[in-house]
Each structure stands twice: as structure tokens, then as C-alpha cells.
Amino acid sequence: MEVKIIIPAPQSALPISSELEVRVRKRFSNPEGSFNLNVHFRALAGFTIIFGASGAGKTTLLDCIAGLTDPDDGRVAVGGEDLYDSEKKRNVAAWKRRIGYVHQDLALFPHLTAEENVAYGLHGLSAAGRQTRSREMLGLFRIDHLRERRPAQISGGERQRVALARALVTEPRALLLDEPLAALDRPTKSSLVGDLRRWNQQHRVPILFVTHNGEEVFALGDEVIMLDGGIIVAQGQPHEVMRAPRLETIARLSGFENIFNATVLALHEDRGTMTCRLGKDAVELETPLVRADVGSRLRVGVRAGDLLLATESPHGLSARNILPGTIVRLEQRDVIISAAVDCGGTEFEVHLTLAARDALGLGLGKSVWVVAKTHSCHLMRM
């Protein structure tokens, strides 16, 4: 396993930056093919989420910013100071960049206590100064009582707090977090992120937070950058990028379980909708009106959690889409039930609670109606 750890040199006299500029290209080749990272963006103080599937280039991007991987060309700068510039032939060593980096594996030193791990990068201070600074940070992240324990003696959430404290004790100008919450439960995540937010309210540095978890995008992000195949395919506020995706790649990453080919059958400009036929089947959906002609081919995405199930034909609803079907699969996923409903050749995935399954008496072969609001149907380019 490759272990990545950066302890930036403590230089608290230097000004803290509020902007990180990244423009890098990096190409990898191997017998199976090649991968090209080509990105350009600016990140201000606060959380910028780097979101994408495995293999999108997220970790490679962080490694280029941190100085662990040299780009083929480009520029990395904090507050206007060049850390890497291919034209100027400038490449600051990773440990001099004052960029904190916390990898998913944490890379804590197993033979050191929590306090010794946090104080590791404070070489420029006296022993008393290192102890004071590290204990302040342990207190900030509410783990001062663990300072004499080694990593094997504390929980996963506590180890994550130690890793963050170690990255932040040197007062970095930017912070890189590579899927740091992946192994934590929701309450632990929430508590840890709250402490990190409080720290950043005082320091105001850019934080790049890598994840492939859509929930974390909405919970954490001031801005989200969507990576796919080494390039940025979308960027903006989370609700702009995730709620109404225009590309299928984004839709799948954003949690749209149902994505279908569609053909525009009719435009209803007076009510701001249009009718689309799904695939080659007789199933029709009323969707929001977009710029398209009758006969145009699009893709329609609907989240499984936005669909409702009824065991009797509904009436008196505002929802425009009521589709009869038959349950062909039921699967329990933790506390969620995933139901597959065949609506005449088109299969919808619907998510519901355990209580809803039991109350409705759902089972294989049961006749149901799938209900979808018009504005739950998102249209995308082919």
C-alpha cells in the first residue's frame, strides 16, 4: 500500500491565502491504455468538493497540487505564489508548499502517541512550543484526553481527528482531503465536519474535499467540481450541478437510478411541459418543457427516491405521471427497500421504507402504480 503523508513546514508568519489556482495536465500510459488529466479551476476559502467515480482522476489531481506527482505542464499557485509553474521551471518541494494533505488511509505513525503524531511536523519550534501547539489542536478537535494513546488504541473517528489535527497544526495555506470520511458513520462524520468548519472560520483556507458520495456533496460543499475521465464536466453550486444534471455521467454520479432513452411526442407550451415516449415501448412521461422539436431524442433521468408507489389507481393527485406496473424484484438495502416495477417493458427502480413495504403488503407479482411528478423527470443530452 502506498502511504502518502505531507507535513508542511510551519511558517505561521506568512499570510494565509484565500485562493488556490490549479491548471495542470498529466498523462499516464500503460499497456491497457492511457489516462489524461487536464483541469483548470480556482478554489476560494471554504469547501470545494471534487466529485467523480473511481478512476476519474481525483487523487491524481490532489497529488499534483500537493507536489507528490509532477504534472507534465501547468501551474499551481496559492495566493498568487507559484508552487509549480512549467513555464518558469518552478517546482516547490512538497514539504515546503504549506499544503495539508489527509489521505483516506490517514498514514498515522503507529509507534507514536496521538500528541506525538500531531507534533511531528513542528520541527521549527522548541519542545515546549511543540507541546503547546499540539495540545491546542488536540483540544480543538476534542481529543486532548487521547494524547497518550497510540493509533491502535483509539477508534476510527478519533484517528481521523488526529490526522486532521496533524495536518492543520502547521497552519497550511490549503487543505486536501481524499475521501477522509468514507469509513465513518453519519453522526461521526457530522461532528468531525463541524469541528473542521469551525477551524476554517478562523483560518479561511481553500479545502478540496474528494468524494464519490452524493450526500457528502450537499452536506459539505460550497462549490462542487465534477470530474470524469480526467476533465471537468461540470462546476458550480451543489444544487446547480447535482439537482438538474444535463449530462448522463453527472446524473449517474448524482444518484439517478432510472435513465431512459426518450423521444419527444408532443410539446405543451401553454403549460410548460412535453410528452416523451420511453424507449420503443408505449410508456409515456410528461416532463418539463425544454428546447426540443417533436421527434427529438433525449435521455430522461428520475431518482428512485422521487418515485411513489400506490396499490390502487390514484386519483386527485397533482402528479402528472401515473403508470401501472408489476413488481418484478424486491431487495432490502440496509433500511431502504428497492423495488423494480415493470411498466410495460420499461422497468423503474423505486426506493421506499421498510414500513411502507409492510403497510402496502408489497411482494413479487403485485400490481402497483408508479407515480412521478413532472419536475422529477430531468432531461439530458444523448
Side-chain angles (χ1 to χ4, degrees):
M1 178 185 300
E2 181 182 2
V3 175
K4 302 173 183 177
I5 175 171
I6 292 182
I7 306 294
Q11 299 176 22
S12 56
L14 294 177
I16 295 294
S17 166
S18 60
E19 180 175 289
L20 171 67
E21 181 180 359
V22 180
R23 176 174 51 84
V24 296
R25 292 196 305 167
K26 180 67 178 179
R27 178 182 176 88
F28 295 97
S29 297
N30 56 55
E32 288 75 35
S34 62
F35 174 80
N36 292 290
L37 177 70
N38 189 351
V39 299
H40 184 192
F41 65 91
R42 287 180 171 85
L44 301 178
F47 284 86
T48 296
I49 304 298
I50 308 297
F51 185 62
S54 298
K58 305 184 297 294
T59 298
T60 299
L61 170 61
L62 295 197
D63 287 351
C64 287
I65 296 170
L68 297 177
T69 296
D70 291 338
D72 296 332
D73 59 73
R75 179 174 182 256
V76 177
V78 177
E81 178 189 346
D82 293 329
L83 304 180
Y84 173 86
D85 192 312
S86 56
E87 292 185 0
K88 297 177 182 178
K89 300 188 183 303
R90 178 172 173 79
N91 190 2
V92 176
W95 66 276
K96 292 182 178 180
R97 292 192 178 195
R98 294 187 64 215
I99 292 181
Y101 193 171
V102 179
H103 191 260
Q104 185 176 345
D105 295 329
L106 303 184
L108 295 176
F109 298 110
H111 63 290
L112 300 182
T113 64
E115 181 176 349
E116 290 167 341
N117 265 285
V118 173
Y120 182 80
L122 298 173
H123 301 299
L125 301 179
S126 66
R130 290 197 301 272
Q131 183 183 76
T132 298
R133 182 84 69 84
S134 62
R135 290 191 177 183
E136 287 176 353
M137 191 60 63
L138 288 166
L140 178 65
F141 280 92
R142 295 182 285 180
I143 48 174
D144 185 60
H145 62 291
L146 304 174
R147 63 176 182 263
E148 298 302 325
R149 299 187 190 178
R150 290 181 169 79
Q153 299 172 313
I154 59 179
S155 70
E158 291 164 344
R159 287 194 293 272
Q160 187 61 262
R161 290 177 179 275
V162 173
L164 278 171
R166 182 179 64 182
L168 298 177
V169 73
T170 55
E171 299 186 355
R173 294 181 292 180
L175 179 63
L176 311 178
L177 303 175
D178 193 355
E179 302 199 52
L181 308 182
L184 304 182
D185 58 47
R186 185 169 295 180
T188 303
K189 288 181 184 181
S190 178
S191 175
L192 187 56
V193 169
D195 291 340
L196 183 56
R197 283 192 184 279
R198 281 189 289 274
W199 177 88
N200 206 33
Q201 285 173 355
Q202 294 182 343
H203 294 80
R204 302 300 299 157
V205 305
I207 299 175
L208 299 190
F209 188 106
V210 163
T211 184
H212 61 262
N213 184 320
E215 290 185 5
E216 291 180 359
V217 174
F218 287 107
L220 301 175
D222 303 310
E223 184 94 352
V224 58
I225 294 173
M226 181 80 69
L227 273 187
D228 184 49
I231 63 172
I232 296 174
V233 295
Q235 181 174 359
Q237 295 182 354
H239 71 275
E240 297 172 336
V241 173
M242 306 288 283
R243 288 296 189 196
R246 298 295 177 233
L247 294 173
E248 183 171 340
T249 298
I250 302 174
R252 293 198 180 280
L253 291 172
S254 302
F256 281 76
E257 294 84 359
N258 301 290
I259 300 179
F260 309 105
N261 288 328
T263 303
V264 179
L265 295 183
L267 306 177
H268 315 294
E269 296 185 8
D270 58 328
R271 61 179 189 248
T273 66
M274 61 189 192
T275 302
C276 295
R277 184 181 67 239
L278 302 186
K280 299 178 180 179
D281 303 312
V283 177
E284 297 181 4
L285 282 181
E286 185 166 307
T287 72
L289 182 68
V290 298
R291 292 184 178 180
D293 298 323
V294 172
S296 298
R297 299 183 63 197
L298 301 168
R299 297 279 273 172
V300 176
V302 188
R303 285 189 172 90
D306 288 341
L307 296 172
L308 299 178
L309 282 186
T311 54
E312 298 178 358
S313 180
H315 61 276
L317 297 179
S318 61
R320 302 293 297 171
N321 299 298
I322 301 174
L323 309 172
T326 303
I327 294 178
V328 294
R329 187 177 67 255
L330 279 176
E331 179 182 336
Q332 183 171 341
R333 302 174 183 173
D334 194 14
V335 295
I336 294 295
I337 296 296
S338 172
V341 182
D342 185 349
C343 295
T346 297
E347 191 173 294
F348 287 85
E349 181 176 346
V350 183
H351 289 174
L352 60 157
T353 64
L354 300 174
R357 176 200 60 186
D358 297 340
L360 295 175
L362 300 182
L364 295 181
K366 189 175 184 66
S367 295
V368 293
W369 282 259
V370 176
V371 181
K373 295 188 297 184
T374 299
H375 287 282
S376 293
C377 305
H378 297 273
L379 295 160
M380 297 162 280
R381 299 193 297 267
M382 290 289 286

